[in-house]
Amino acid sequence: MKRNQPLRLLLTLLVAWFAGLAQAAPLQVGSKRFTESYLLGELVTQTLAAQGVAAEHRQGLGNTAILATALQQGQIDIYPEYTGTIVRELLKRDSPADAQAPLAQINAWLAPLQLKAGVPLGFNNSYALAMREADAARLGIATISDLAGKAPTLKLGLSHEFLARADGWPALQRAYALKLQPGTGLDHGLAYQALADGQVDLIDVYTTDAQLARQPVRVLRDDRAFFPRYDAVLLMRAAVDDKPLQGLAGRLPEQAMIRLNAAAELDGRPFAEVARDFLQSGASAAPTARQGVWARLVAPDLAKLLGQHLALVLVSLALAVAVAVPLGIAAHRLPRLAAPVMAAVGLLQTLPSLALLAFLIALVGRIGFVPALLALFVYALLPIVRNTHAGLQAVSTGLAEAARALGMTRGQTLRAIELPLALPTLMAGVKTAAVTNVGTATVAAFVGAGGLGERIVAGLAVNDSALMLAGALPAAALAVVVQLVFDALERRVTPGPQHNGGGQSRDRGA
């Protein structure tokens, strides 16, 4: 019995340690890729911290579908959402009566999903359509119905999500019998600038958008009451205790939310700073000078984002080398495999990055590092497989035959002769994959995997070119560094010309 006591003690300590880790795990707060969601995510995170609850804000994870999936799978615990979106997008209830359901009814519908909505924040942020004021006045357009007969040639600039939502353009077009064609999608962060520049004539907006207070635009009246109410609430897993967040309930009327959005989007203040000022004083501070590129570039999060970016690139590259080199060898040894292998990896290379990420999220059942890593692994395969195959094909068959005549096996010939001679070409493929993945890794931010793309995505959300450059410039510099490192490695593995005088004489004599 005494001999078992140390083992029992060790097991008890391990159980206590794991229980402590689980208890200390911070709540994961998510947000979508637009200004208001970033701000609300910060408000939730900072409110939890003030109440002694550890929380981490995972910014700009994607659209409604990605956030809801992450919530149901436990990847995040809570995120700001809107009642109309919950009813129509998550619960798939399209009737007008359902769209106006009270929070208690919505929670009854959410219960089977192990989710709940709570902490109504105090404002309704509905969808709307907007035009330049001068154009609307000239054409006599005041309502959405007016678009049917008075604006047949308007160019639309609708957001990607609005084009695809159940409560978005397709249903709106049917409800109002509109003949307008939606065209290609436009990121919401760029829509107002495109409208001001005359590149588009009609955009979808949120009724708490910062730009509405400062841009000469006309919001068209929804005269058929198509859009449901979009009361801002917090959507969370059923197990989450929302008591620490009740201090936010009703604290954000529409005008307050518009001011916060303007402080972040138009005045260029960081989301965390705007949220902190509001929580401390109940208002946003006076506008300050927008930070320049250098200040954004060397911000404290640079080291963390660089580390995340490098981890994605290096781990995906290592996985790709481990798979692609054997595939290239197999294609060389078995010529019948060459065409199918090259076709398969070439096809994978053509997949759009966001579509591939969405597929991988569904496949692995999670957001974040893993699907981003797998996507980068897929994109790294083609150059490594192709160059491994090409390098081996370029090795003289006579050398391989001579080695086998000396009694070497095929494996020995491959390791001692063929691969060393093919190594420069193989390394060129690895270099191409590495440099390409440095750029491609920026899309990882769309699924919460971090990296330098976080700055680009956040800058795109608020149309802040300095913030976008603060993410793009380090990524470009990292690509150059990776290129130089692989150039140096290539020089080391590439055989140089011999400068031995005796050797040269023997060659000439031969």
Side-chain angles (χ1 to χ4, degrees):
M1 183 68 68
K2 290 183 178 180
R3 287 197 300 269
N4 291 334
Q5 286 180 348
L7 180 59
R8 289 181 178 179
L9 178 61
L10 179 60
L11 289 174
T12 302
L13 290 173
L14 285 174
V15 170
W17 183 63
F18 280 115
L21 283 180
Q23 189 174 13
L27 279 179
Q28 300 295 305
V29 181
S31 60
K32 299 184 187 180
R33 292 195 310 269
F34 61 93
T35 306
E36 186 167 287
S37 192
Y38 280 107
L39 285 169
L40 294 176
E42 277 297 326
L43 287 170
V44 170
T45 305
Q46 293 184 26
T47 299
L48 287 169
Q51 296 293 318
V53 180
E56 179 182 347
H57 185 193
R58 302 183 67 179
Q59 299 184 4
L61 293 182
N63 59 17
T64 301
I66 290 176
L67 267 293
T69 300
L71 190 65
Q72 290 179 265
Q73 294 172 348
Q75 294 287 291
I76 59 173
D77 300 297
I78 186 170
Y79 80 96
E81 191 51 280
Y82 305 90
T83 53
T85 301
I86 293 172
V87 171
R88 290 200 169 183
E89 290 296 304
L90 273 64
L91 298 170
K92 306 300 182 185
R93 293 178 174 270
D94 297 329
S95 75
D98 287 345
Q100 308 302 328
L103 199 57
Q105 179 60 65
I106 292 174
N107 277 324
W109 291 331
L110 286 171
L113 302 176
Q114 300 299 306
L115 302 178
K116 65 180 180 182
V119 194
L121 298 173
F123 68 92
N124 169 40
N125 185 10
S126 182
Y127 269 115
L129 297 182
M131 300 175 58
R132 286 182 295 275
E133 175 62 37
D135 290 346
R138 177 173 53 84
L139 295 170
I141 297 176
T143 67
I144 298 178
S145 291
D146 292 338
L147 291 171
K150 299 179 181 179
T153 61
L154 291 181
K155 184 176 180 181
L156 276 59
L158 306 178
S159 65
H160 299 90
E161 185 166 3
F162 187 71
L163 287 170
R165 291 172 62 106
D167 55 352
W169 176 253
L172 179 71
Q173 188 178 36
R174 290 193 299 271
Y176 279 93
L178 300 176
K179 299 289 195 276
L180 295 169
Q181 296 303 311
T184 55
L186 177 67
D187 190 272
H188 186 72
L190 304 175
Y192 282 98
Q193 190 61 50
L195 185 68
D197 293 342
Q199 298 178 55
V200 297
D201 304 309
L202 183 73
I203 62 174
D204 61 288
V205 301
Y206 303 118
T207 54
T208 55
D209 275 348
Q211 299 275 8
L212 292 178
R214 304 191 190 183
Q215 289 265 14
V217 299
R218 178 179 294 185
V219 177
L220 305 185
R221 184 163 53 86
D222 180 16
D223 50 310
R224 297 186 184 177
F226 169 80
F227 292 115
R229 286 190 63 84
Y230 291 85
D231 293 305
V233 295
L234 300 180
L235 184 63
M236 64 198 86
R237 294 189 300 109
V240 172
D241 180 10
D242 63 3
K243 291 186 181 66
L245 293 166
Q246 289 300 327
L248 290 175
R251 195 172 172 184
L252 283 164
E254 286 187 18
Q255 289 305 311
M257 195 66 244
I258 290 174
R259 286 196 299 271
L260 295 184
N261 287 335
E265 186 168 335
L266 304 183
D267 300 331
R269 298 179 59 209
F271 301 120
E273 180 183 307
V274 174
R276 183 173 61 251
D277 286 347
F278 176 79
L279 291 173
Q280 290 174 353
S281 64
S284 58
T288 56
R290 187 183 285 262
Q291 288 183 316
V293 175
W294 178 252
R296 301 291 183 87
L297 186 64
V298 297
D301 64 347
L302 179 60
K304 181 193 77 171
L305 297 179
L306 270 174
Q308 293 170 341
H309 208 93
L310 270 174
L312 283 167
V313 171
L314 296 180
V315 176
S316 64
L317 188 66
L319 289 175
V321 169
V323 172
V325 171
L327 279 177
I329 293 171
H332 167 67
R333 288 285 181 84
L334 304 169
R336 290 182 180 179
L337 284 181
V341 167
M342 295 301 170
V345 294
L347 178 63
L348 290 174
Q349 187 81 6
T350 65
L351 296 175
S353 56
L354 292 179
L356 179 59
L357 283 169
F359 170 76
L360 290 172
I361 288 171
L363 182 66
V364 302
R366 60 189 297 124
I367 61 171
F369 187 82
V370 173
L373 179 72
L374 292 176
L376 294 174
F377 157 76
V378 166
Y379 287 131
L381 289 175
L382 176 61
I384 303 176
V385 172
R386 182 182 58 204
N387 279 38
T388 301
H389 178 260
L392 291 172
Q393 290 290 96
V395 175
S396 170
T397 55
L399 290 175
E401 291 171 358
R404 285 194 290 273
L406 292 173
M408 295 177 68
T409 64
R410 294 189 69 184
Q412 291 171 330
T413 302
L414 177 68
R415 291 188 297 272
I417 297 174
E418 293 177 306
L419 276 179
L421 291 174
L423 192 57
T425 305
L426 190 159
M427 286 294 295
V430 175
K431 177 178 71 175
T432 300
V435 173
T436 302
N437 270 11
V438 170
T440 308
T442 56
V443 303
F446 285 98
V447 293
L452 294 165
E454 278 197 9
R455 290 179 170 182
I456 299 173
V457 172
L460 189 62
V462 296
N463 198 20
D464 186 341
S465 57
L467 187 54
M468 286 186 272
L469 282 173
L473 291 177
L478 185 59
V480 171
V481 170
V482 170
Q483 172 93 19
L484 293 175
V485 168
F486 275 93
D487 284 344
L489 288 174
E490 278 189 275
R491 286 194 293 271
R492 294 196 64 177
V493 302
T494 302
Q498 293 189 6
H499 298 289
N500 180 285
Q504 292 174 0
S505 298
R506 282 193 295 272
D507 289 344
R508 285 195 297 270

